[in-house]
Amino acid sequence: MVVELISVGTEILLGNIVNTNAAYLAEKCALLGCSLYHQTVVGDNEERMEEAIRQAIERADIVILTGGLGPTKDDLTKEVTAKVFGRKLYMDEHSKARIQYYFEKIKSKKVTENNWKQALVPEGAIVIDNLNGTAPGLILEDKERGKAAILIPGPPNEMKPMFEHDIAPYLNKKQPEGIYSHMVKVCGIGESRAETMVADLMDAQTNPTLAPYAKTGEVHFRVTARACSEEAAEKLMEPMIEEMKKRFGDAVYTTEENVTLEESVIRLLEEKKMTVTTAESCTGGKLSGRLLNVSGASSVYNEGYITYANASKEKILGVKHETLETYGAVSEQTAAEMALGAAKAAGADAALSVTGIAGPGGGTAEKPVGLVYIGCAVNGEVTVREYRFTGNREKNRDYAVARAITLLREELLKRA
């Protein structure tokens, strides 16, 4: 079943508000097993709205429209949709009574006349009570053509409850198979190589399917199955997920949608009863910030250091003056001493250090912008990796953070 979304409102079209409704509905419809090929945003213009609805109803089985159901003259969604379906509007007494009740409940002195516009509904429409506002939802069906239009109020606090309570069950009856998925998240392997490693699985995919998503310093693969139940979908996905684990090995850090790389590392430290600290130069606190975004990180992270100047590297981390003079702040040797010094200063089992040239200035032919050294000390043993990133300042810093967390994970996994 093909579903198309139309978001109505000039304020959305002009970017005055972010269209969160479309993102929410797209995700929910996909989980219900519906296919989505188009989304449209149209302003409060009758002619253009009619064109958008007619076009959508030709190529989709169901069109979901959000917004434009309010009491003002520019709220035209219901009127235009009724025109497209060849339906007249009539005053629905049930909806009128609910609007009256809503205003009494919020202790409004009087219902202004234009609010009754919201109680006008197209002939033959299924009326959906709005439990959180005044404008009812509507479903118009054209059974001859097997088409339908679903009209939902635009405010998210009205749209979401109505979708969950009424629209999702309606769609589920028309599309009994749902879509279920797992996200296989891989770190430490580049996008091109990762995709090549599973190219044959992607070429042979039917049900389940496999789709890659590039993230900063990571690659995520969504494994998706269409089935009548979650249990049946899990059975379909299991062989593919196991095959991916076999191919990527320890580079797979989770198969759960909501687990982040930093969360997986914090949990790994907890399992091993180890603590960690950070010593940052070019990332300026981004690394510690990402680790501390994880709830419960305080159990493994007590303190960290931002040592931007050479003097602070010497004073706080114990980096030797000779090392900085001989090799420079951006060097393998400095990264190693930063990591070891941070672990000692914090009394931590593990430490990450980052030193580099984020840009846009400061690079030389020998040490270009994007050159970053990342050190990882674990129980007195240190590993340093050199990276050469090619993005802007922000991107270089973000990639350095991702690579640092990945390096820590790799070093922890080496130790029983």
Side-chain angles (χ1 to χ4, degrees):
M1 181 173 69
V2 178
V3 171
E4 185 159 334
L5 306 178
I6 298 180
S7 304
V8 178
T10 302
E11 68 277 11
I12 301 172
L13 188 64
L14 298 181
N16 299 131
I17 64 171
V18 178
N19 191 5
T20 57
N21 283 356
Y24 170 86
L25 290 170
E27 181 180 17
K28 292 298 181 181
C29 287
L31 290 173
L32 288 167
C34 304
S35 299
L36 288 95
Y37 304 131
H38 298 88
Q39 291 184 24
T40 301
V41 177
V42 63
D44 301 304
N45 177 277
E46 184 173 354
E47 185 180 335
R48 289 189 285 274
M49 198 183 301
E50 182 179 346
E51 181 186 2
I53 296 170
R54 289 191 185 279
Q55 187 178 52
I57 209 71
E58 283 300 318
R59 60 193 179 197
D61 302 304
I62 293 178
V63 179
I64 300 178
L65 299 101
T66 52
L69 297 179
T72 61
K73 289 181 179 179
D74 63 347
D75 289 313
L76 300 167
T77 301
K78 175 174 53 187
E79 290 77 4
V80 177
T81 306
K83 179 181 176 182
V84 171
F85 275 72
R87 309 284 178 85
K88 292 181 179 179
L89 298 174
Y90 73 95
M91 181 63 68
D92 179 45
E93 294 301 327
H94 172 75
S95 295
K96 187 175 181 180
R98 286 195 61 84
I99 292 170
Q100 179 71 53
Y101 172 73
Y102 179 84
F103 276 92
E104 290 173 355
K105 188 172 66 173
I106 63 172
K107 296 181 171 58
S108 178
K109 292 180 180 179
K110 185 181 178 182
V111 184
T112 56
E113 195 62 31
N114 60 352
N115 276 288
W116 301 129
K117 175 178 180 285
Q118 296 173 103
L120 291 170
V121 304
E123 292 174 334
I126 300 169
V127 179
I128 302 168
D129 289 341
N130 187 344
L131 304 179
N132 300 280
T134 52
L138 299 164
I139 300 176
L140 284 76
E141 295 180 322
D142 183 342
K143 293 184 178 178
E144 258 186 54
R145 299 174 65 197
K147 306 279 188 176
I150 300 173
L151 283 59
I152 315 176
N157 66 327
E158 298 178 32
M159 181 276 294
K160 290 181 180 180
M162 186 178 290
F163 185 88
E164 295 286 349
H165 188 266
D166 298 284
I167 307 304
Y170 174 84
L171 293 173
N172 200 45
K173 285 179 184 177
K174 293 184 172 295
Q175 177 67 48
E177 282 191 334
I179 289 181
Y180 304 87
S181 65
H182 278 289
M183 192 71 87
V184 179
K185 298 184 179 183
V186 177
C187 63
I189 298 176
E191 180 187 4
S192 299
R193 183 181 161 213
E195 193 168 338
T196 300
M197 289 172 70
V198 293
D200 58 318
L201 297 179
M202 293 175 68
D203 290 340
Q205 65 184 342
T206 51
N207 188 22
T209 59
L210 183 63
Y213 299 86
K215 303 290 181 180
T216 302
E218 305 176 41
V219 183
H220 297 178
F221 291 92
R222 185 178 291 281
V223 181
T224 305
R226 185 188 296 272
C228 292
S229 68
E230 186 173 0
E231 184 181 1
E234 291 288 347
K235 287 181 180 178
L236 287 170
M237 290 186 284
E238 186 178 358
M240 182 176 282
I241 292 172
E242 289 304 313
E243 180 61 25
M244 294 183 74
K245 286 180 178 177
K246 180 180 174 183
R247 296 187 187 194
F248 289 115
D250 287 340
V252 175
Y253 69 84
T254 187
T255 58
E256 297 301 321
E257 179 85 36
N258 297 322
V259 175
T260 62
L261 176 59
E262 54 268 28
E263 184 177 353
S264 72
V265 170
I266 294 296
R267 302 301 168 237
L268 189 58
L269 286 162
E270 289 175 339
E271 288 171 20
K272 293 180 176 292
K273 295 181 170 55
M274 296 176 68
T275 56
V276 69
T277 187
T278 53
E280 303 178 66
S281 185
C282 64
T283 49
K286 277 200 163 195
L287 175 56
S288 58
R290 187 162 164 185
L291 291 172
L292 293 174
N293 274 339
V294 179
S295 177
S298 59
S299 64
V300 298
Y301 189 108
N302 294 323
E303 60 185 86
Y305 313 96
I306 299 173
T307 53
Y308 210 69
N310 284 357
S312 64
K313 291 179 177 66
E314 292 183 45
K315 179 182 176 182
I316 298 171
L317 304 177
V319 176
K320 295 172 186 171
H321 183 75
E322 310 89 80
T323 300
L324 292 166
E325 283 291 314
T326 305
Y327 303 105
V330 181
S331 65
E332 178 182 347
Q333 293 80 1
T334 296
E337 290 186 25
M338 284 174 68
L340 290 168
K344 182 179 179 181
D349 303 301
L352 285 170
S353 64
V354 185
T355 181
I357 305 167
T364 64
E366 186 180 50
K367 294 184 178 182
V369 168
L371 175 65
V372 176
Y373 290 95
I374 299 172
C376 181
V378 180
N379 294 330
E381 296 180 17
V382 66
T383 300
V384 178
R385 298 262 178 90
E386 177 186 306
Y387 296 94
R388 291 177 183 256
F389 303 122
T390 57
N392 58 26
R393 181 178 180 83
E394 195 68 14
K395 191 173 180 181
N396 290 339
R397 296 170 79 212
D398 287 340
Y399 268 101
V401 169
R403 293 300 184 193
I405 298 172
T406 299
L407 177 58
L408 174 59
R409 182 175 178 273
E410 291 171 357
E411 293 301 307
L412 291 173
L413 289 173
K414 290 178 183 178
R415 293 158 174 82

